[in-house]
Amino acid sequence: MSETMHRALASSTRTAGEIAAELRRDFALAMEAQHGTQPLPDPVLATLFHALAVQVSRVYEEAERVFPVTVLDDLVSGLAMEPRLASPAQAVVRFAGMDQRETVSAETQLWGFTRTGSQVGFAPDEPIDVSPTTLAFAAVYEAGRLHAIPGARLPGGGVIPPGSVPLALEGAAPTLWMAFDADEGHLGGLGVFLDAEGAAAEALARSPWQLLGPEGTVREEGMLRPVPGRGGVRRLAWFHEAVPAGAAEGAAAVVPLADGPYGARVWIFPPVPADRRSRCGVPLALRAAAPLLLPEGAPHALDRALAWVQVPLPAGTRGVPDALHRVEPHCVTASNVEVASEQVAFDRMGTAVRLCPEGSRDRHVMGVLSVTGQRGARYAEESAVEGAPSSGRWRYREGHLELRPARHATGLGDDYAMVRLLYCDGERANGMEIGAVCRVDAELANVTLQVANLTVSRGGAAPPAYAPARVRFAELLRTRERVVTAADVEAAARAFDVRIARVEVEGRAESGPQGVLRTEAVTAWVRPADFADPEGELPRLRAALEAHLQGRSALGHVVRVAVRPLAGGAR
């Protein structure tokens, strides 16, 4: 019988039925050789042979197919090829009801509710400070007129209605003005949502921000510039100061979110030093026109010291008042990333478990935040070089979590481990109606803090189909993790996302602050039907692919990626 099993393992064409038939023949020959008689038909023995044959065929199948794929996965992981995760849905949320300054961290859990009443978790993409700060005035100058932008609040209640008045600023470029009634912390950590679209959004992304001085004028120490943040959020930084690197912690370290559909519409102020917390009256350029935009009952609402911010837009920009729909403070983007804890009991569940959140295939694991043993010791990743040989280890791969329990001085191991996981609902988190994200689940000093989403959630999707391990490994071997030729770019792009149907590469020169740079213009063609929310997912795919290729390009080369739909968009 052992010879039969050996022959089965040596052949790739034998099925479980063939193995069972050969087991029966070998048994019959053994019976005749030992007892001189043929065995009678026995259904129990036939069932036993069939069950054994199924197990043997599975062992061979695993040796033939699973083992090589697993080895390739380990090699790809060791070569640091990024895993493709689910895309979390993103929305813009606004906080209200605060009476003191407080930081809302990126791990603050927010909850929303779908139309069917099911609960969906969100978390801020970036930390912000909430405070009693209010927006007192917002307006855009363009083509000889000053236009009020919705969002400003009057001191006694009420809002500044939309409207426009003449304003003669000879040769001035379009400019956005905002005034804030801030607390002692000034504008530090304030998140501002500029609901812009089209050319206005692109112009705002390229523009500096200017915190006006006590005289209402621009000064060098008040200059700010936008830098990219998590989820596409624009973090403002002081113009002449280096942006602090700051090691990512918690969920931000495990899930570095790519640009979301709303990230580029949110700006977050940096901490404001005491010597820059300037306030002033209405700037001279607006002194005659701004009061004309105020309602009749509040003609002197701006006659006080406010924190004024000016955003000059590129010359030639048109249509900003129509494209900038509103300005809202205390806002940040929030993505469908939920932190949950699970206990893995080794005696009952084993040391290798399949992670299926709440038994639902519509929820996806984004990563492992931490693993803690029975005695409180943190487990390290299997590939980490630090840690004692007896310390606990973990490895996450393709929906499976493999644990190696820690061994203690007594020789006993942990009975269980606590695992903190990051979950995402993918497509299920799309379409959350305005106001559906309405609960803050955190212990905060502002006990009356409220939250509501100002936009419908978009961009959530399940993980894209993973390119076969052999394809990914071949891409790494072929390019050596460096893209030099057009064929390298195409191989890297196709291995990055199998939904990319065609890749075009064009080399050209591009002038920049450092001089003329070599630029590779990459166009990835996709079928929109392959995406759950094309308008929300394609910008994120573009940003992620561009970062992937840029990290593998030669020094001095710049990669620009555009994602275009194929004609018709059919599968």
Side-chain angles (χ1 to χ4, degrees):
M1 195 173 298
S2 61
E3 293 180 1
T4 301
M5 295 173 64
H6 177 74
R7 289 195 302 270
L9 291 172
S11 173
S12 60
T13 60
R14 292 178 182 268
T15 64
E18 293 173 339
I19 296 173
E22 190 159 350
L23 287 172
R24 288 194 297 270
R25 286 195 300 271
D26 286 353
F27 179 73
L29 291 174
M31 281 283 294
E32 185 173 4
Q34 186 168 358
H35 301 286
T37 181
Q38 289 286 337
L40 297 175
D42 188 341
V44 175
L45 193 60
T47 302
L48 177 63
F49 284 147
H50 179 73
L52 179 59
V54 169
Q55 295 299 321
V56 172
S57 66
R58 286 178 180 174
V59 169
Y60 177 72
E61 181 182 2
E62 187 169 300
E64 174 70 16
R65 181 179 58 83
V66 178
F67 288 172
V69 171
T70 302
V71 171
L72 286 174
D73 272 337
D74 288 341
L75 289 173
V76 169
S77 176
L79 290 172
M81 188 174 187
E82 300 92 339
R84 300 307 315 280
L85 303 175
S87 296
Q90 188 184 63
V92 177
V93 298
R94 183 178 187 273
F95 295 95
M98 47 276 186
D99 54 12
Q100 58 183 302
R101 177 172 287 269
E102 184 174 10
T103 298
V104 177
S105 73
E107 292 192 17
T108 301
Q109 193 69 66
L110 311 175
W111 295 103
F113 299 89
T114 65
R115 293 180 179 178
T116 60
S118 60
Q119 189 170 254
V120 178
F122 286 79
D125 293 337
E126 290 276 1
I128 65 169
D129 283 1
V130 296
S131 66
T133 298
T134 59
L135 177 67
F137 184 77
V140 168
Y141 166 78
E142 183 184 316
R145 298 191 70 84
L146 184 67
H147 305 262
I149 303 299
R153 305 293 193 272
L154 297 172
V159 300
I160 298 178
S164 68
V165 296
L167 178 60
L169 296 178
E170 190 67 28
T175 305
L176 169 64
W177 275 282
M178 294 175 289
F180 298 91
D181 187 3
D183 65 347
E184 293 182 358
H186 208 261
L187 302 181
L190 178 67
V192 180
F193 173 45
L194 301 183
D195 191 5
E197 59 184 15
E202 297 177 3
L204 286 166
R206 302 195 306 269
S207 301
W209 289 46
Q210 301 165 347
L211 179 61
L212 302 186
E215 298 80 18
T217 57
V218 177
R219 53 180 186 166
E220 186 176 1
E221 55 269 29
M223 299 285 290
L224 295 157
R225 57 189 173 90
V227 295
R230 189 165 176 260
V233 171
R234 311 299 175 103
R235 295 201 69 91
L236 294 170
W238 299 108
F239 198 81
H240 291 296
E241 294 181 6
V243 180
E249 299 178 353
V254 177
V255 184
L257 296 177
D259 294 359
Y262 299 111
R265 305 186 193 183
V266 173
W267 279 256
I268 301 178
F269 282 88
V272 181
D275 59 345
R276 301 183 191 180
R277 297 175 183 175
S278 57
R279 293 173 172 82
C280 63
V282 180
L284 181 61
L286 305 181
R287 199 158 293 170
L292 301 178
L293 293 173
L294 300 176
E296 294 183 359
H300 304 290
L302 299 179
D303 294 345
R304 53 199 170 114
L306 299 170
W308 281 84
V309 176
Q310 173 181 301
V311 185
L313 304 178
T317 305
R318 293 290 181 266
V320 178
D322 295 328
L324 181 56
H325 305 301
R326 55 179 165 170
V327 178
E328 294 284 354
H330 307 297
C331 290
V332 69
T333 55
S335 294
N336 170 225
V337 178
E338 176 188 342
V339 180
S341 297
E342 293 189 12
Q343 185 185 78
V344 178
F346 300 133
D347 59 344
R348 181 171 53 87
M349 304 173 65
T351 58
V353 295
R354 177 170 178 79
L355 300 177
C356 189
E358 300 177 4
S360 173
R361 295 186 178 273
D362 296 330
R363 306 196 73 199
H364 313 282
V365 177
M366 300 290 286
V368 180
L369 196 57
S370 66
V371 179
T372 306
Q374 179 180 358
R375 293 169 174 79
R378 291 285 291 269
Y379 282 29
E381 286 193 67
E382 191 67 50
S383 58
V385 296
E386 68 273 5
S390 60
S391 61
R393 299 277 177 166
W394 63 269
R395 178 173 65 175
Y396 174 72
R397 178 179 59 198
E398 300 287 338
H400 291 81
L401 181 65
E402 301 170 10
L403 299 166
R404 180 151 57 88
R407 292 289 173 184
H408 306 285
T410 59
L412 298 177
D414 285 340
D415 295 329
Y416 65 87
M418 293 299 301
V419 182
R420 295 185 69 214
L421 303 169
L422 295 174
Y423 289 155
C424 168
D425 293 273
E427 186 178 354
R428 191 174 75 92
N430 289 340
M432 301 285 290
E433 298 177 344
I434 294 175
V437 181
C438 56
R439 185 162 70 88
V440 181
D441 187 6
E443 295 183 2
L444 300 172
N446 285 284
V447 295
T448 58
L449 187 68
Q450 302 170 358
V451 67
N453 58 308
L454 303 182
T455 61
V456 175
S457 58
R458 296 180 54 195
Y466 220 171
R470 291 181 175 85
V471 174
R472 291 179 283 128
F473 188 61
E475 182 264 331
L476 288 173
L477 289 179
R478 176 174 181 173
T479 65
R480 307 301 195 273
E481 288 201 311
R482 296 291 181 268
V483 289
V484 179
T485 66
D488 292 341
V489 173
E490 182 173 1
R494 286 179 175 275
F496 183 77
D497 196 318
V498 296
R499 294 173 295 183
I500 296 176
R502 192 171 79 244
V503 179
E504 296 178 359
V505 184
E506 178 186 359
R508 61 192 182 198
E510 181 180 280
S511 60
Q514 296 81 21
V516 178
L517 299 175
R518 171 72 178 181
T519 301
E520 312 296 340
V522 180
T523 304
W525 298 88
V526 299
R527 298 179 179 86
D530 292 338
F531 298 83
D533 180 12
E535 293 184 7
E537 291 183 68
L538 294 186
R540 179 172 283 159
L541 173 61
R542 186 210 65 79
L545 180 58
E546 184 173 280
H548 178 76
L549 296 177
Q550 184 66 66
R552 287 155 176 74
S553 64
L555 290 175
H557 286 211
V558 177
V559 178
R560 306 290 188 202
V561 173
V563 177
R564 299 280 185 264
L566 287 171
R571 289 184 181 272

